[in-house]
């Protein structure tokens, strides 16, 4: 990010053929500034109103279920067919209740199909429902909107340009698929080239790539941990990490999000007490964290994590899915952001679906570790190897990232992030996370406002992702903005104007730390 670089560089503002402006003025900041995060507490009145909102929804849901059971209301519900056949129910009763009476009512704001590349602007497929969101019909029209919901951090999700051209050429040269696993005949020269490029880019001994980001965590953690090991996992880790930990058979404990004191207490207790039943020492202890947390917009405290893992002789596994490419002077993730030695992180994991505009994931580290994974990983031995155009998209992105174009995009993303976040804070919205994180969560709280915000933003030509319970805690429903280097200042200003209007209409300026102001008042001050 702009303020993460240790040296001071002054360059003129540049503009490329796409009219992206790059402010390359860099400044020196200390470690405290790099870790500056804000998590404002939920206002009491917002919490009370949110609880009341869900209580009302539940009351009406129970009433409607009673009417259905009495055959007064004939509208169909989400019924698990397994229950009537004598099988174990697929869903818990409350999950079906929630789907029938809450989720379905607002299903139109989720899972919207798109009809174009998910770039800074894209086309949404227009759909209508004649039965209150149980089914949809497509009108054949599309909706043009600014995209604030895709993880297109560096803007490589493009249908034109060198990445797209070279990916198409790869299809002509190598075809679509090898129809074989990497451990048999599926390892082609383009995959070897990708792994070599990644090794050099990350500054590690070796690297291995996989065709699916989720499986990179879920199927490789069991290769590195097993019964007799202890995994200490951040409480907000992604579900792919959680699944991998469960599949490994290792014991696991969670520590409070980014709380180094809590982590150290658990490390100390694990070493002193050992296994809770046998009191024998753990074979190994692995700390599992993410670089950037995609729901909170926060950044892991890597310098302190390295200090703790060295102090207590533990291993460190860091998921850089949302930070590789998006963070650091060279786009090399959180290691680059904090300017620490790559060797201090034992296992580096990342995905290609965000910053690289492709698919798949990787694990990097010592050669002995990667060789072990290559031989024993189910993701390597049983999954089809990566497709040539998918790999070529990553290779082309890496080449650009290593050159002047990559530097421009990194600076642009940093500039967009700081600008957009600061404007939202100045307007009085509650914003979570680190000020350098391109993931920008804004709290909405009440379920009705989550729905209204999403629909009103789309009506103004802005597509956003809103998230509520059970994906978040009951009191932490939010909209999650994802910024990109491809967003122009005009796009961001249009989005901020829409947020300002909708925020005023539905009263979502909750902050008690910052003054509530309109965008025009902030702009007039400068």
């Amino acid at each position: 990010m702009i303020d993460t670089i240790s040296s001071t560089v002054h360059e003129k503002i540049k503009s490329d053929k796409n009219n992206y402006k790059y402010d390359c003025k860099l400044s020196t900041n200390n470690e405290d500034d790099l870790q500056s995060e804000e998590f404002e507490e939920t206002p009491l009145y917002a919490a009370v109103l949110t609880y009341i909102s869900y209580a009302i929804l539940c009351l009406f849901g129970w009433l409607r279920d009673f009417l259905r059971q009495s055959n007064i209301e004939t509208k169909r519900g989400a019924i698990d067919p397994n229950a009537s056949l004598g099988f174990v129910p697929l869903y818990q009763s409350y999950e079906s209740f929630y789907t029938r009476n809450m989720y379905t009512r607002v299903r139109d704001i989720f899972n919207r199909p798109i009809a174009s590349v998910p770039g800074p602007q894209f086309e949404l497929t227009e759909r209508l429902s004649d039965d209150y969101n149980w089914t949809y019909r497509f009108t054949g029209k599309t909706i043009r909107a600014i995209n604030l919901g895709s993880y297109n951090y560096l803007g490589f999700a493009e249908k034109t340009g060198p990445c797209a051209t070279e990916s198409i050429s790869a299809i002509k040269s190598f075809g679509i698929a090898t129809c074989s696993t990497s451990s048999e005949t599926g390892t082609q020269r383009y995959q070897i080239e990708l792994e070599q490029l990644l090794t050099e880019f990350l500054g590690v001994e070796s690297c291995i790539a996989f065709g699916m980001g989720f499986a990179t965590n879920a199927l490789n953690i069991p290769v590195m941990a097993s019964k007799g090991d202890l995994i200490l996992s951040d409480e907000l880790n992604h579900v792919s990490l959680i699944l991998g930990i469960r599949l490994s058979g290792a014991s696991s404990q969670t520590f409070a999000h980014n709380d180094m004191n809590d982590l150290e207490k658990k490390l100390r207790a694990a070493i002193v007490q050992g296994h809770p039943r046998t009191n024998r020492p753990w074979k190994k202890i692995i700390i599992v964290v993410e670089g950037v947390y995609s729901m909170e917009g926060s950044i892991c405290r890597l310098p302190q994590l390295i200090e703790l893992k060295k102090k207590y002789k533990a291993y460190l596994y860091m998921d850089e899915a949302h930070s590789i490419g998006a963070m650091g002077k060279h786009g090399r993730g959180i290691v680059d952001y904090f300017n620490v030695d790559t060797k201090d992180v034992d296992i580096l994991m990342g995905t290609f679906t965000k910053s690289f505009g492709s698919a798949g994931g990787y694990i990097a580290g010592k050669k002995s570790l990667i060789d072990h994974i290559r031989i024993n990983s189910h993701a390597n031995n049983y999954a089809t190897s990566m497709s040539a155009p998918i790999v070529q998209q990553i290779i082309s992105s890496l080449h650009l990232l290593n050159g002047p174009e990559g530097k421009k995009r990194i600076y642009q993303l940093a500039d967009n992030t700081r600008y957009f976040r600061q404007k939202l804070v100045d307007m009085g919205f509650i914003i979570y996370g680190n000020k350098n994180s391109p993931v920008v969560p804004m709290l909405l709280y009440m379920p009705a406002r989550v729905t209204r915000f999403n629909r009103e933003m789309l009506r103004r030509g802005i597509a956003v992702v809103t998230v509520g319970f059970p994906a978040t805690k009951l009191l932490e429903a939010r909209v999650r903005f994802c910024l990109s280097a491809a967003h122009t200042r005009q796009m961001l200003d249009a989005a901020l104007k829409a947020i300002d209007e909708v925020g005023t209409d539905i009263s979502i300026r909750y902050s008690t730390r910052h003054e509530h102001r309109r965008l025009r008042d902030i702009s007039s001050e400068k």
Side-chain angles (χ1 to χ4, degrees), residues 150-202:
S150 295
Y151 300 130
N152 183 28
Y153 296 131
L154 293 179
F156 284 125
E158 302 165 316
K159 63 179 180 181
T160 59
C163 292
T165 301
E166 290 168 15
S167 295
I168 293 170
S169 297
I171 297 175
K172 297 175 182 178
S173 301
F174 301 104
I176 297 295
T178 61
C179 301
S180 179
T181 65
S182 296
S183 60
E184 294 178 334
T185 61
T187 299
Q188 301 295 312
R189 65 187 184 201
Y190 50 79
Q191 186 163 349
I192 295 172
E193 180 186 356
L194 170 61
E195 292 176 354
Q196 289 174 344
L197 274 173
L198 277 171
T199 300
E200 295 171 7
F201 178 71
L202 297 170

